[in-house]
Amino acid sequence: GGEEFGVILYGINDAEALRLATARLLENVRKTEVPYKDGKIRFTFSGGIAQYEKGMTPEQLILNATEARKCSKDNGKDRITLYSQIPKK
């Protein structure tokens, strides 16, 4: 189980800038630790990234991001997948 949320990164049009922003997010989640009893709780993050394309509905954008997140989970978790990099059937 886990929590799901969305983030809008307005103004990022460059694929490399998007990759860097999401890599930074993943890195920060991975190094977060919470003391618990005699140990620590560590976190993982499985994310899906979809970029808005002209004419796309909000629902389609969310569906694309959801498909990318599922791909992250199906391929080992604790990773981020860009929808544009998923091989189309």
Coordinates of all heavy atoms in Angstrom, one line a residue:
G1 N 0.8 -1.2 0.0 CA 0.0 0.0 0.0 C 0.9 1.2 0.0 O 2.0 1.2 0.2
G2 N 0.2 2.3 -0.2 CA 0.9 3.6 -0.2 C -0.1 4.7 -0.5 O -1.2 4.5 -0.8
E3 N 0.5 5.9 -0.5 CA -0.3 7.1 -0.8 C -0.1 7.5 -2.3 O 1.0 7.3 -2.8 CB 0.1 8.2 0.1 CG -0.1 7.9 1.6 CD -1.6 7.6 1.9 OE1 -2.5 8.2 1.4 OE2 -1.8 6.6 2.7
E4 N -1.1 8.0 -2.9 CA -1.0 8.5 -4.3 C -1.2 10.0 -4.2 O -2.1 10.5 -3.5 CB -2.0 7.8 -5.2 CG -1.6 6.4 -5.4 CD -2.6 5.7 -6.4 OE1 -3.2 6.4 -7.2 OE2 -2.6 4.5 -6.3
F5 N -0.5 10.8 -5.0 CA -0.7 12.2 -5.1 C -0.2 12.7 -6.5 O 0.5 11.9 -7.2 CB 0.1 12.9 -4.0 CG 1.6 12.7 -4.0 CD1 2.4 13.6 -4.7 CD2 2.1 11.6 -3.4 CE1 3.8 13.4 -4.7 CE2 3.5 11.4 -3.4 CZ 4.3 12.3 -4.1
G6 N -0.5 13.8 -6.9 CA -0.1 14.4 -8.1 C 0.7 15.7 -7.9 O 0.4 16.4 -6.9
V7 N 1.6 16.0 -8.8 CA 2.4 17.2 -8.7 C 2.4 17.8 -10.1 O 2.6 17.1 -11.1 CB 3.8 16.9 -8.3 CG1 4.7 18.2 -8.4 CG2 3.9 16.3 -7.0
I8 N 2.1 19.1 -10.2 CA 2.2 19.8 -11.5 C 3.4 20.6 -11.5 O 3.6 21.5 -10.6 CB 0.9 20.7 -11.7 CG1 -0.3 19.8 -11.8 CG2 1.1 21.5 -13.0 CD1 -1.6 20.6 -11.8
L9 N 4.3 20.3 -12.5 CA 5.5 21.1 -12.6 C 5.3 22.0 -13.8 O 5.6 21.7 -15.0 CB 6.7 20.1 -12.9 CG 6.9 19.1 -11.8 CD1 8.0 18.1 -12.2 CD2 7.3 19.8 -10.5
Y10 N 4.8 23.2 -13.5 CA 4.5 24.2 -14.6 C 5.7 24.8 -15.1 O 6.6 25.2 -14.4 CB 3.5 25.2 -14.0 CG 3.1 26.3 -15.0 CD1 2.1 26.0 -15.9 CD2 3.7 27.5 -15.0 CE1 1.7 26.9 -16.8 CE2 3.3 28.4 -16.0 CZ 2.3 28.1 -16.8 OH 1.9 29.0 -17.8
G11 N 5.8 24.9 -16.4 CA 6.9 25.6 -17.1 C 8.1 24.7 -17.4 O 9.1 25.2 -17.9
I12 N 8.0 23.4 -17.1 CA 9.2 22.6 -17.4 C 8.8 21.9 -18.8 O 7.9 21.0 -18.8 CB 9.4 21.5 -16.3 CG1 9.9 22.2 -15.1 CG2 10.5 20.5 -16.8 CD1 10.2 21.2 -13.9
N13 N 9.4 22.4 -19.8 CA 9.1 21.8 -21.2 C 10.3 21.0 -21.7 O 10.1 20.2 -22.6 CB 8.9 23.0 -22.1 CG 7.7 23.8 -21.7 OD1 6.7 23.3 -21.3 ND2 7.8 25.1 -21.8
D14 N 11.4 21.0 -21.1 CA 12.6 20.3 -21.5 C 12.7 19.0 -20.8 O 12.5 18.9 -19.6 CB 13.8 21.2 -21.1 CG 15.1 20.5 -21.5 OD1 15.5 20.6 -22.7 OD2 15.7 19.9 -20.6
A15 N 12.9 17.9 -21.6 CA 12.9 16.5 -21.0 C 14.0 16.4 -20.0 O 13.8 15.7 -19.0 CB 13.0 15.5 -22.2
E16 N 15.2 17.0 -20.2 CA 16.3 16.8 -19.3 C 16.0 17.5 -18.0 O 16.3 17.0 -16.9 CB 17.6 17.4 -19.9 CG 18.8 17.3 -19.0 CD 19.2 15.9 -18.7 OE1 18.7 14.9 -19.3 OE2 20.0 15.7 -17.7
A17 N 15.3 18.7 -18.0 CA 15.0 19.4 -16.8 C 13.9 18.6 -16.0 O 14.0 18.5 -14.8 CB 14.4 20.8 -17.1
L18 N 13.0 18.0 -16.7 CA 12.0 17.1 -16.1 C 12.7 15.9 -15.4 O 12.4 15.5 -14.3 CB 11.0 16.6 -17.1 CG 9.9 15.7 -16.6 CD1 9.1 16.5 -15.5 CD2 9.0 15.3 -17.7
R19 N 13.6 15.3 -16.1 CA 14.4 14.1 -15.6 C 15.1 14.5 -14.3 O 15.1 13.8 -13.3 CB 15.3 13.6 -16.6 CG 16.0 12.3 -16.2 CD 17.2 11.9 -17.0 NE 18.3 12.8 -16.8 CZ 19.1 12.8 -15.8 NH1 18.9 12.0 -14.8 NH2 20.1 13.7 -15.7
L20 N 15.8 15.7 -14.3 CA 16.5 16.2 -13.2 C 15.6 16.4 -12.0 O 15.9 16.1 -10.8 CB 17.4 17.4 -13.5 CG 18.6 17.2 -14.4 CD1 19.2 18.5 -14.9 CD2 19.6 16.3 -13.7
A21 N 14.5 17.1 -12.2 CA 13.5 17.4 -11.2 C 13.0 16.1 -10.5 O 12.9 16.0 -9.3 CB 12.4 18.3 -11.7
T22 N 12.6 15.2 -11.3 CA 12.1 13.9 -10.8 C 13.2 13.1 -10.1 O 12.9 12.4 -9.1 CB 11.4 13.1 -11.8 OG1 12.2 12.8 -12.9 CG2 10.1 13.8 -12.3
A23 N 14.4 13.1 -10.6 CA 15.5 12.4 -10.0 C 15.8 13.0 -8.6 O 16.1 12.3 -7.6 CB 16.8 12.5 -10.8
R24 N 15.7 14.3 -8.5 CA 15.9 15.0 -7.2 C 14.8 14.6 -6.2 O 15.1 14.3 -5.0 CB 15.9 16.5 -7.4 CG 16.5 17.2 -6.2 CD 16.7 18.7 -6.5 NE 17.2 19.0 -7.8 CZ 16.8 19.9 -8.6 NH1 15.8 20.7 -8.3 NH2 17.3 20.1 -9.8
L25 N 13.6 14.5 -6.6 CA 12.5 14.0 -5.8 C 12.7 12.6 -5.3 O 12.6 12.3 -4.1 CB 11.2 14.1 -6.6 CG 10.0 13.5 -5.9 CD1 9.6 14.3 -4.6 CD2 8.8 13.5 -6.8
L26 N 13.1 11.7 -6.2 CA 13.4 10.3 -5.8 C 14.5 10.2 -4.9 O 14.4 9.5 -3.9 CB 13.6 9.5 -7.1 CG 13.8 8.0 -6.9 CD1 12.6 7.4 -6.3 CD2 14.1 7.3 -8.3
E27 N 15.6 11.0 -5.1 CA 16.7 10.9 -4.2 C 16.4 11.4 -2.8 O 16.8 10.8 -1.8 CB 17.8 11.8 -4.8 CG 19.1 11.9 -3.9 CD 20.1 13.0 -4.4 OE1 20.0 13.3 -5.6 OE2 20.9 13.4 -3.6
N28 N 15.6 12.5 -2.7 CA 15.2 13.0 -1.4 C 14.3 12.0 -0.6 O 14.4 11.9 0.6 CB 14.5 14.3 -1.5 CG 15.5 15.4 -1.7 OD1 16.6 15.5 -1.1 ND2 15.2 16.3 -2.7
V29 N 13.4 11.3 -1.3 CA 12.5 10.3 -0.7 C 13.4 9.2 -0.2 O 13.2 8.7 1.0 CB 11.4 9.8 -1.7 CG1 10.7 8.6 -1.1 CG2 10.4 10.9 -2.0
R30 N 14.3 8.7 -1.0 CA 15.2 7.6 -0.6 C 16.0 7.9 0.6 O 16.3 7.0 1.4 CB 16.1 7.2 -1.7 CG 15.4 6.5 -2.8 CD 16.4 6.2 -4.0 NE 15.8 5.4 -5.0 CZ 16.3 5.3 -6.2 NH1 17.4 5.9 -6.6 NH2 15.7 4.5 -7.1
K31 N 16.5 9.1 0.8 CA 17.3 9.4 2.0 C 16.6 9.8 3.2 O 17.2 10.1 4.2 CB 18.4 10.3 1.6 CG 18.0 11.7 1.2 CD 19.3 12.5 0.8 CE 18.9 13.9 0.4 NZ 20.0 14.7 0.0
T32 N 15.2 9.9 3.1 CA 14.4 10.2 4.3 C 14.3 9.0 5.2 O 14.0 7.9 4.8 CB 13.0 10.7 3.8 OG1 13.1 11.8 3.0 CG2 12.1 11.0 5.0
E33 N 14.6 9.3 6.5 CA 14.5 8.2 7.5 C 13.7 8.8 8.7 O 13.8 9.9 9.1 CB 15.8 7.8 8.0 CG 16.7 7.2 6.9 CD 18.1 6.8 7.4 OE1 18.5 7.3 8.5 OE2 18.7 5.9 6.8
V34 N 12.9 7.9 9.2 CA 12.1 8.3 10.4 C 12.4 7.3 11.5 O 12.3 6.1 11.3 CB 10.6 8.2 10.1 CG1 9.7 8.5 11.3 CG2 10.2 9.2 9.0
P35 N 12.9 7.8 12.7 CA 13.2 6.9 13.8 C 11.9 6.2 14.2 O 10.8 6.8 14.3 CB 13.6 7.9 14.9 CG 14.0 9.2 14.2 CD 13.1 9.2 13.0
Y36 N 12.0 4.9 14.5 CA 10.9 4.1 14.9 C 11.4 3.0 15.8 O 12.2 2.1 15.3 CB 10.1 3.5 13.7 CG 8.9 2.7 14.1 CD1 7.8 3.3 14.6 CD2 9.0 1.3 14.0 CE1 6.7 2.6 15.0 CE2 7.9 0.5 14.4 CZ 6.7 1.2 14.9 OH 5.6 0.4 15.3
K37 N 11.0 2.9 17.0 CA 11.4 2.0 18.0 C 12.9 1.9 18.0 O 13.6 2.9 18.3 CB 10.7 0.6 17.8 CG 9.2 0.7 18.0 CD 8.6 -0.7 17.8 CE 7.1 -0.6 18.0 NZ 6.4 -1.8 17.9
D38 N 13.5 0.7 17.7 CA 14.9 0.6 17.8 C 15.6 0.7 16.4 O 16.8 0.4 16.2 CB 15.3 -0.8 18.3 CG 14.9 -1.0 19.8 OD1 14.9 0.0 20.5 OD2 14.6 -2.1 20.2
G39 N 14.9 1.2 15.5 CA 15.4 1.3 14.1 C 14.9 2.6 13.4 O 14.6 3.6 14.0
K40 N 14.9 2.5 12.1 CA 14.4 3.6 11.3 C 13.5 3.0 10.2 O 13.7 1.9 9.7 CB 15.6 4.3 10.6 CG 16.6 4.9 11.6 CD 17.8 5.5 10.9 CE 18.8 6.0 11.9 NZ 20.0 6.4 11.3
I41 N 12.6 3.9 9.8 CA 11.7 3.6 8.6 C 12.3 4.3 7.4 O 12.6 5.5 7.5 CB 10.3 4.0 8.9 CG1 9.7 3.2 10.1 CG2 9.4 3.8 7.6 CD1 8.3 3.6 10.5
R42 N 12.5 3.6 6.3 CA 12.9 4.2 5.1 C 11.8 4.2 4.1 O 10.9 3.3 4.2 CB 14.1 3.5 4.6 CG 15.3 3.7 5.5 CD 16.6 3.1 4.8 NE 17.8 3.4 5.6 CZ 18.2 2.7 6.7 NH1 17.5 1.6 7.0 NH2 19.2 3.1 7.3
F43 N 11.8 5.0 3.1 CA 10.7 5.1 2.2 C 11.2 4.8 0.7 O 12.4 5.0 0.4 CB 10.1 6.6 2.2 CG 9.6 6.9 3.5 CD1 10.3 7.6 4.5 CD2 8.2 6.6 3.8 CE1 9.8 7.9 5.7 CE2 7.7 6.9 5.1 CZ 8.5 7.6 6.0
T44 N 10.3 4.4 -0.1 CA 10.5 4.2 -1.5 C 9.5 5.0 -2.2 O 8.5 5.5 -1.7 CB 10.5 2.7 -1.9 OG1 9.2 2.2 -1.7 CG2 11.5 1.9 -1.2
F45 N 9.7 5.2 -3.5 CA 8.8 6.0 -4.3 C 8.7 5.4 -5.7 O 9.7 5.2 -6.4 CB 9.4 7.4 -4.4 CG 8.5 8.4 -5.2 CD1 7.5 9.1 -4.6 CD2 8.8 8.6 -6.5 CE1 6.7 9.9 -5.3 CE2 8.0 9.5 -7.2 CZ 6.9 10.2 -6.6
S46 N 7.5 5.1 -6.1 CA 7.2 4.6 -7.5 C 6.3 5.7 -8.1 O 5.2 6.0 -7.7 CB 6.5 3.3 -7.5 OG 7.3 2.3 -6.9
G47 N 6.9 6.3 -9.2 CA 6.2 7.5 -9.8 C 6.0 7.3 -11.3 O 6.7 6.5 -11.9
G48 N 5.0 8.0 -11.8 CA 4.7 8.1 -13.2 C 4.6 9.5 -13.6 O 4.0 10.3 -13.0
I49 N 5.3 9.8 -14.7 CA 5.4 11.2 -15.2 C 4.7 11.2 -16.6 O 5.1 10.4 -17.4 CB 6.8 11.7 -15.3 CG1 7.5 11.6 -14.0 CG2 6.8 13.1 -15.8 CD1 7.0 12.4 -12.9
A50 N 3.8 12.2 -16.8 CA 3.2 12.4 -18.1 C 3.3 13.9 -18.4 O 3.0 14.7 -17.5 CB 1.8 11.9 -18.1
Q51 N 3.6 14.2 -19.6 CA 3.7 15.6 -20.0 C 2.4 16.0 -20.8 O 1.9 15.2 -21.6 CB 4.9 15.9 -20.9 CG 6.2 15.9 -20.1 CD 7.4 16.2 -20.9 OE1 7.9 15.3 -21.6 NE2 7.8 17.5 -20.9
Y52 N 1.9 17.2 -20.5 CA 0.8 17.7 -21.2 C 1.1 17.9 -22.6 O 2.1 18.5 -22.9 CB 0.2 18.9 -20.5 CG -0.9 19.6 -21.3 CD1 -2.2 19.1 -21.2 CD2 -0.6 20.7 -22.1 CE1 -3.2 19.7 -21.9 CE2 -1.6 21.3 -22.8 CZ -2.9 20.8 -22.7 OH -3.9 21.3 -23.5
E53 N 0.2 17.5 -23.5 CA 0.3 17.8 -24.9 C -0.9 18.6 -25.3 O -2.0 18.3 -24.8 CB 0.5 16.5 -25.7 CG 1.7 15.7 -25.4 CD 1.8 14.4 -26.1 OE1 1.1 14.2 -27.1 OE2 2.6 13.6 -25.7
K54 N -0.7 19.5 -26.2 CA -1.9 20.4 -26.6 C -3.1 19.5 -27.1 O -2.9 18.6 -27.8 CB -1.4 21.3 -27.8 CG -2.4 22.3 -28.2 CD -1.9 23.2 -29.2 CE -3.0 24.3 -29.5 NZ -2.5 25.4 -30.3
G55 N -4.2 19.9 -26.5 CA -5.5 19.2 -26.8 C -5.8 18.1 -25.9 O -6.9 17.5 -25.9
M56 N -4.9 17.7 -25.0 CA -5.1 16.6 -24.1 C -6.0 17.0 -23.0 O -6.0 18.1 -22.5 CB -3.7 16.2 -23.5 CG -3.7 15.0 -22.6 SD -2.1 14.6 -21.9 CE -1.3 13.9 -23.3
T57 N -6.9 16.1 -22.6 CA -7.8 16.4 -21.5 C -7.1 16.1 -20.2 O -6.2 15.3 -20.1 CB -9.1 15.5 -21.6 OG1 -8.7 14.1 -21.4 CG2 -9.8 15.6 -22.9
P58 N -7.6 16.7 -19.1 CA -7.0 16.4 -17.8 C -7.1 14.9 -17.5 O -6.2 14.4 -16.9 CB -7.8 17.3 -16.8 CG -8.4 18.4 -17.6 CD -8.6 17.8 -19.0
E59 N -8.2 14.3 -17.9 CA -8.4 12.9 -17.6 C -7.3 12.1 -18.3 O -6.8 11.1 -17.7 CB -9.8 12.4 -18.0 CG -10.9 13.0 -17.2 CD -11.3 14.5 -17.6 OE1 -10.8 15.0 -18.6 OE2 -12.1 15.1 -16.8
Q60 N -7.0 12.4 -19.5 CA -6.0 11.7 -20.3 C -4.6 11.8 -19.7 O -3.8 10.9 -19.6 CB -6.0 12.1 -21.8 CG -5.1 11.2 -22.6 CD -5.5 9.7 -22.6 OE1 -6.6 9.4 -22.8 NE2 -4.5 8.9 -22.2
L61 N -4.3 13.0 -19.2 CA -3.0 13.3 -18.6 C -2.9 12.4 -17.3 O -1.9 11.8 -17.1 CB -2.9 14.8 -18.2 CG -1.6 15.3 -17.6 CD1 -0.4 15.1 -18.5 CD2 -1.7 16.7 -17.2
I62 N -4.0 12.4 -16.5 CA -3.9 11.5 -15.3 C -3.8 10.1 -15.7 O -3.1 9.3 -15.0 CB -5.2 11.8 -14.4 CG1 -5.1 13.2 -13.9 CG2 -5.3 10.8 -13.3 CD1 -6.3 13.7 -13.2
L63 N -4.6 9.6 -16.7 CA -4.5 8.2 -17.1 C -3.0 7.9 -17.6 O -2.5 6.8 -17.3 CB -5.5 7.9 -18.2 CG -6.9 7.8 -17.8 CD1 -7.8 7.7 -19.1 CD2 -7.1 6.6 -16.9
N64 N -2.4 8.8 -18.3 CA -1.0 8.5 -18.8 C -0.1 8.4 -17.6 O 0.8 7.6 -17.5 CB -0.6 9.6 -19.7 CG -1.3 9.6 -21.1 OD1 -2.1 8.7 -21.3 ND2 -1.1 10.5 -21.9
A65 N -0.2 9.3 -16.6 CA 0.7 9.3 -15.4 C 0.4 8.0 -14.6 O 1.4 7.4 -14.1 CB 0.4 10.5 -14.6
T66 N -0.8 7.6 -14.5 CA -1.2 6.4 -13.8 C -0.6 5.2 -14.5 O 0.0 4.3 -13.8 CB -2.7 6.2 -13.7 OG1 -3.2 7.3 -13.0 CG2 -3.1 4.9 -13.0
E67 N -0.6 5.1 -15.8 CA 0.0 4.0 -16.5 C 1.5 4.0 -16.3 O 2.1 2.9 -16.1 CB -0.3 4.1 -18.0 CG 0.2 2.9 -18.8 CD -0.1 3.0 -20.3 OE1 -1.1 3.6 -20.7 OE2 0.6 2.3 -21.1
A68 N 2.1 5.1 -16.3 CA 3.6 5.2 -16.1 C 3.9 4.8 -14.6 O 4.9 4.1 -14.4 CB 4.1 6.6 -16.3
R69 N 3.1 5.1 -13.7 CA 3.3 4.7 -12.3 C 3.2 3.2 -12.1 O 4.0 2.5 -11.5 CB 2.3 5.4 -11.3 CG 2.5 4.9 -9.8 CD 1.5 5.4 -8.9 NE 0.1 5.2 -9.4 CZ -0.6 4.0 -9.3 NH1 0.0 3.0 -8.7 NH2 -1.8 3.9 -9.7
K70 N 2.2 2.6 -12.8 CA 2.0 1.2 -12.8 C 3.2 0.5 -13.4 O 3.7 -0.6 -12.9 CB 0.7 0.8 -13.5 CG -0.5 1.1 -12.8 CD -1.7 0.7 -13.5 CE -3.0 1.1 -12.8 NZ -4.2 0.9 -13.6
C71 N 3.8 1.1 -14.4 CA 5.0 0.5 -15.1 C 6.1 0.5 -14.1 O 6.9 -0.4 -14.0 CB 5.3 1.3 -16.3 SG 6.6 0.6 -17.3
S72 N 6.3 1.6 -13.3 CA 7.3 1.7 -12.3 C 7.2 0.6 -11.2 O 8.1 -0.1 -10.9 CB 7.3 3.0 -11.5 OG 7.7 4.1 -12.4
K73 N 5.9 0.4 -10.8 CA 5.7 -0.7 -9.8 C 5.9 -2.1 -10.4 O 6.5 -2.9 -9.7 CB 4.3 -0.6 -9.2 CG 4.1 0.6 -8.3 CD 2.7 0.6 -7.7 CE 2.6 1.6 -6.7 NZ 2.5 1.1 -5.3
D74 N 5.5 -2.3 -11.6 CA 5.7 -3.6 -12.3 C 7.1 -3.9 -12.6 O 7.5 -5.1 -12.8 CB 4.9 -3.7 -13.6 CG 3.4 -3.7 -13.3 OD1 2.9 -3.9 -12.2 OD2 2.6 -3.4 -14.3
N75 N 8.0 -2.9 -12.6 CA 9.4 -3.1 -13.0 C 10.4 -2.9 -11.8 O 11.5 -2.5 -12.0 CB 9.8 -2.2 -14.2 CG 9.1 -2.7 -15.5 OD1 9.5 -3.7 -16.0 ND2 8.2 -1.9 -15.9
G76 N 9.9 -3.2 -10.6 CA 10.8 -3.2 -9.5 C 10.6 -2.2 -8.4 O 11.3 -2.2 -7.4
K77 N 9.6 -1.3 -8.6 CA 9.3 -0.3 -7.7 C 10.5 0.7 -7.4 O 11.6 0.5 -8.0 CB 8.8 -0.8 -6.4 CG 7.6 -1.7 -6.5 CD 7.1 -2.2 -5.2 CE 5.9 -3.1 -5.4 NZ 5.4 -3.7 -4.2
D78 N 10.3 1.7 -6.6 CA 11.3 2.7 -6.2 C 12.0 3.3 -7.4 O 13.2 3.3 -7.5 CB 12.4 2.0 -5.3 CG 13.1 3.1 -4.5 OD1 12.6 4.2 -4.3 OD2 14.3 2.9 -4.2
R79 N 11.2 3.7 -8.4 CA 11.7 4.3 -9.6 C 10.7 5.2 -10.2 O 9.5 5.2 -9.8 CB 12.1 3.2 -10.6 CG 10.9 2.4 -11.1 CD 11.2 1.3 -12.1 NE 12.0 0.3 -11.4 CZ 13.1 -0.2 -11.8 NH1 13.6 0.1 -13.0 NH2 13.8 -1.1 -11.1
I80 N 11.0 6.0 -11.2 CA 10.1 6.9 -11.8 C 10.2 6.5 -13.3 O 11.2 6.3 -13.9 CB 10.5 8.4 -11.6 CG1 10.4 8.7 -10.2 CG2 9.7 9.3 -12.5 CD1 10.8 10.1 -9.8
T81 N 9.0 6.4 -13.9 CA 8.9 6.1 -15.3 C 8.2 7.3 -16.1 O 7.1 7.8 -15.6 CB 8.0 4.8 -15.5 OG1 8.7 3.7 -14.9 CG2 7.9 4.5 -17.0
L82 N 8.7 7.7 -17.2 CA 8.1 8.7 -18.0 C 7.1 8.0 -19.0 O 7.5 7.0 -19.6 CB 9.1 9.5 -18.8 CG 9.7 10.7 -18.1 CD1 10.8 10.2 -17.1 CD2 10.3 11.7 -19.0
Y83 N 5.9 8.4 -19.1 CA 4.9 7.8 -20.0 C 5.5 7.7 -21.4 O 5.3 6.7 -22.1 CB 3.6 8.6 -20.0 CG 2.6 8.1 -20.9 CD1 1.8 7.0 -20.6 CD2 2.4 8.7 -22.2 CE1 0.9 6.4 -21.5 CE2 1.4 8.2 -23.0 CZ 0.7 7.1 -22.7 OH -0.2 6.5 -23.6
S84 N 6.2 8.7 -21.8 CA 6.7 8.8 -23.2 C 7.7 7.7 -23.5 O 8.0 7.4 -24.6 CB 7.3 10.1 -23.5 OG 8.4 10.4 -22.6
Q85 N 8.3 7.1 -22.4 CA 9.3 6.0 -22.6 C 8.7 4.6 -22.5 O 9.5 3.6 -22.6 CB 10.4 6.2 -21.5 CG 11.2 7.5 -21.7 CD 12.2 7.7 -20.7 OE1 12.2 7.2 -19.6 NE2 13.2 8.4 -21.0
I86 N 7.4 4.5 -22.3 CA 6.8 3.2 -22.2 C 6.6 2.7 -23.6 O 6.0 3.4 -24.4 CB 5.4 3.2 -21.5 CG1 5.6 3.7 -20.0 CG2 4.7 1.8 -21.5 CD1 4.3 3.9 -19.3
P87 N 7.1 1.5 -23.9 CA 6.8 0.9 -25.3 C 5.3 0.8 -25.5 O 4.6 0.2 -24.7 CB 7.5 -0.4 -25.3 CG 8.5 -0.4 -24.1 CD 7.9 0.6 -23.1
K88 N 4.8 1.3 -26.6 CA 3.4 1.2 -26.9 C 3.1 -0.2 -27.6 O 3.9 -0.7 -28.3 CB 3.0 2.3 -27.9 CG 3.3 3.7 -27.3 CD 2.6 3.9 -26.0 CE 3.0 5.3 -25.4 NZ 3.7 5.3 -24.2
K89 N 1.9 -0.7 -27.2 CA 1.6 -2.0 -27.7 C 1.0 -2.0 -29.1 O 0.5 -1.0 -29.6 CB 0.5 -2.6 -26.8 CG 1.1 -2.9 -25.4 CD 0.0 -3.3 -24.5 CE 0.6 -3.4 -23.1 NZ -0.3 -3.8 -22.1

